[in-house]
Amino acid sequence: MLDAHHHFWTVARGDYGWMTQDLKPLLRDFGPENLWPLMQQAGITQTVLVQAAETEAETDYLLEIAARTDFVAGVVGWLDMLADNFPERIDYYAAQPKWLGLRPVLQEHDPALIADPRFRAALAEVARRGIPFDILTFPRHLPAMIDALHATPGLHAILDHISKPDMTQPIDSGWAEGISGLAAVPGLHCKISGLVTEAGADWSADQIRPFIAHVARAFGPERLVFGSDWPVCTLVASHAQVIDLARNLLSELYGPEEIQAIMQTNGMRFYGIG
């Protein structure tokens, strides 16, 4: 089984701008030694380690961890997509062992950034190289992101956390339309990840089910990829609860072969993991 989305961090590094005091349970170090026992219990053998800070130092830090951690199949890092030297930097990192792809933190920026000519030019460079690209957005970013995807044919991209809809409320039509618009882009994938944190501390499977059903209808089982979003998920649920939730809801829609694809082979194929 592959966990295609989790994080490690060392708080003292100091570049996690999102890590505020209201997220106190996360204000400690999380590393391979913390995740490995949970992986063994869940039957996970490989993972994809994803950036949690908007610095190249973060990318280097994660690559160092990956180099000494057998179960980390690779790293999705961060680069400044507005920098003049972006093509050179992405060439540098693409040559590094265990570097898989790129994730800008679009959710922290105005959707207008997605239309910035510098961002669009960088996105075209990513597409030209066939590099996996993680899309981290809120629903308000989806119209701009759909425009960018249509303007960048061939981008090898995957949506993180189903774009973080507010699951404490019924499905919003804007999010639903955005998901359908993204799914219409050929080859675009979607991670079944980050669900419980958007559903609140008193989350339930019944609350999350309609969101998964909409994503499943839009993308189909061949373009869905599981990720735990550990340790962020621990704000409201355990690692085991997140695994069970995904398996149970997906099993209501799909059979064993499709579940196996979502929980392992789709992610391996998307990221080019051998």
Side-chain angles (χ1 to χ4, degrees):
M1 182 174 162
L2 172 73
D3 179 353
H5 197 108
H6 75 91
H7 309 282
F8 293 140
W9 55 70
T10 299
V11 175
R13 289 188 54 254
D15 55 0
Y16 310 104
W18 56 271
M19 200 177 287
T20 54
Q21 287 300 316
D22 60 323
L23 300 174
K24 195 168 184 178
L26 301 181
L27 296 178
R28 67 177 183 86
D29 297 349
F30 289 90
E33 69 281 3
N34 304 117
L35 182 57
W36 176 237
L38 304 176
M39 290 174 55
Q40 290 180 298
Q41 293 170 18
I44 297 169
T45 56
Q46 288 183 294
T47 71
V48 174
L49 178 54
V50 181
Q51 62 80 223
E54 294 183 272
T55 64
E56 278 196 22
E58 163 80 346
T59 303
D60 295 336
Y61 162 73
L62 298 182
L63 287 171
E64 290 170 5
I65 293 176
R68 63 176 187 267
T69 307
D70 289 343
F71 70 72
V72 175
V75 168
V76 174
W78 180 93
L79 293 174
D80 184 356
M81 294 184 68
L82 304 184
D84 291 340
N85 67 342
F86 175 77
E88 290 78 16
R89 299 312 292 157
I90 200 168
D91 285 344
Y92 169 80
Y93 280 105
Q96 303 308 305
K98 289 197 173 183
W99 191 83
L100 295 180
L102 173 68
R103 183 174 86 152
V105 187
L106 296 174
Q107 69 174 25
E108 297 299 321
H109 299 276
D110 191 286
L113 172 66
I114 299 170
D116 187 305
R118 296 170 296 172
F119 179 83
R120 292 292 186 91
L123 203 62
E125 293 285 347
V126 176
R128 185 172 67 82
R129 291 164 174 78
I131 290 171
F133 183 83
D134 273 52
I135 299 170
L136 178 62
T137 53
F138 287 121
R140 67 177 180 271
H141 296 87
L142 292 182
M145 196 67 233
I146 291 168
D147 287 345
L149 289 167
H150 285 301
T152 317
L155 184 68
H156 188 58
I158 188 165
L159 178 68
D160 290 356
H161 311 331
I162 68 172
S163 199
K164 295 192 168 186
D166 180 0
M167 296 190 201
T168 66
Q169 303 294 326
I171 287 179
D172 175 76
S173 61
W175 171 80
E177 291 167 8
I179 289 295
S180 298
L182 287 175
V185 176
L188 188 75
H189 286 59
C190 181
K191 287 185 183 179
I192 300 298
S193 62
L195 305 177
V196 291
T197 47
E198 303 307 318
D202 57 348
W203 65 271
S204 69
D206 288 343
Q207 192 178 352
I208 295 169
R209 181 177 288 108
F211 292 87
I212 294 298
H214 180 71
V215 168
R217 284 193 299 270
F219 283 92
E222 69 282 354
R223 291 193 286 158
L224 298 178
V225 173
F226 169 76
S228 69
D229 198 29
W230 182 93
V232 178
C233 67
T234 63
L235 287 169
V236 295
S238 69
H239 185 268
Q241 285 177 309
V242 168
I243 306 293
D244 289 344
L245 175 70
R247 284 188 184 279
N248 292 340
L249 291 181
L250 291 168
S251 293
E252 294 174 3
L253 302 169
Y254 302 122
E257 290 186 4
E258 294 164 316
I259 299 298
Q260 172 68 14
I262 296 168
M263 304 298 281
Q264 181 168 1
T265 53
N266 289 352
M268 294 180 70
R269 184 186 68 248
F270 178 82
Y271 283 115
I273 297 169

